[in-house]
Amino acid sequence: MSFYRLCKCLLGALSLLLAGFCAASGAADKAGAQDLGEGLVYFRMTNPAADLPALKSVLAENKAAVVDLRGVDASVADVRALRIALVPPVSPATRAARFVLINRDTSSAVPFTLNAGLPDNTQGVLVMALAGDNVPADVKVRGSVEDDRRACEAIAKGAAVSTLINHQPDKKRYDEAALMRDYQGLPEPEVEAKTVADKKAPDAAGPDSQAKPGEKETEGESSSPESQPPPTDSLLQAAVQTHRALLALGKL
């Protein structure tokens, strides 16, 4: 075989491999699942009937999944088909968990068909909602309804769900030195005290440098949506924590 024909065959084989890889990547993107770590995935449904095939594919490959149905409008027939897909196969060797997130805007057919909040709720399925939404659920989570709305809007705009959980609030450093200082009733060091005084002192540049009536102060200009921190999705965070607890207990 000539060198030219060999190169042509290699290029053809490479093209086929790339085509298969792109098709597989497209299928994964179409499924729309996001990895939450340790075997847990997130799947957002907006149309139960249209999204059901993709959900089945996700559930077939993952034992634990968060299925977000917040704000979803669905008929009883749609939810019955969804229930069949959600129920994991009955097998001692197969342990699975489905965390279904709902809110006040979710069709009432969802909690009704899944028997949310009842002793005979759907096996392997845990329906979760904020306590403030006053909807039937197996688990009521404390959290801000407004933050939940903002989180849903962020997800709808394509935000990664990992940015909406595990937030760490800014805390003042409290080390051993600060502990001993408080115990002995000593004042703060001069450097810290001077820093605080400088922040509270008026601008030395004179009255012209101060904000005039009708003008916004620099520290107060944080009301734009871009400057606001990402909301904490309390419902999703509770689902992740529940999954981690089940793993620790050997239930999954």
Side-chain angles (χ1 to χ4, degrees), residues 90-125:
V90 180
S91 171
T94 304
R95 295 180 178 180
R98 295 30 169 135
F99 306 96
V100 178
L101 311 185
I102 65 172
N103 61 9
R104 65 179 65 178
D105 297 323
T106 303
S107 173
S108 59
V110 173
F112 174 78
T113 307
L114 296 178
N115 292 337
L118 299 178
D120 59 340
N121 62 335
T122 306
Q123 182 180 5
V125 178

Side-chain angles (χ1 to χ4, degrees), residues 32-90:
Q34 297 189 45
D35 186 15
L36 290 172
E38 300 190 38
L40 180 67
V41 296
Y42 170 90
F43 184 83
R44 167 72 176 158
M45 298 190 79
T46 56
N47 186 329
D51 297 338
L52 190 58
L55 176 65
K56 289 181 177 179
S57 177
V58 170
L59 296 180
E61 298 177 359
N62 300 276
K63 294 197 302 181
V66 177
V67 183
D68 195 345
L69 295 176
R70 286 175 290 184
V72 166
D73 185 18
S75 65
V76 174
D78 290 338
V79 184
R80 283 176 177 171
L82 175 63
R83 175 175 177 166
I84 295 173
L86 287 174
V87 175
V90 180

Side-chain angles (χ1 to χ4, degrees), residues 3 10 23 42 66 99 113 122 164 166-169 174 201 203 216 239 247 251:
F3 179 76
L10 289 175
Y42 170 90
V66 177
F99 306 96
T113 307
T122 306
L164 306 176
N166 299 326
H167 290 172
Q168 296 294 335
Y174 197 79
D203 192 351
K216 293 183 180 180
L247 283 179
K251 300 297 183 180

Side-chain angles (χ1 to χ4, degrees), residues 122-137:
T122 306
Q123 182 180 5
V125 178
L126 202 62
V127 179
M128 309 179 71
L130 289 181
D133 275 335
N134 296 319
V135 294

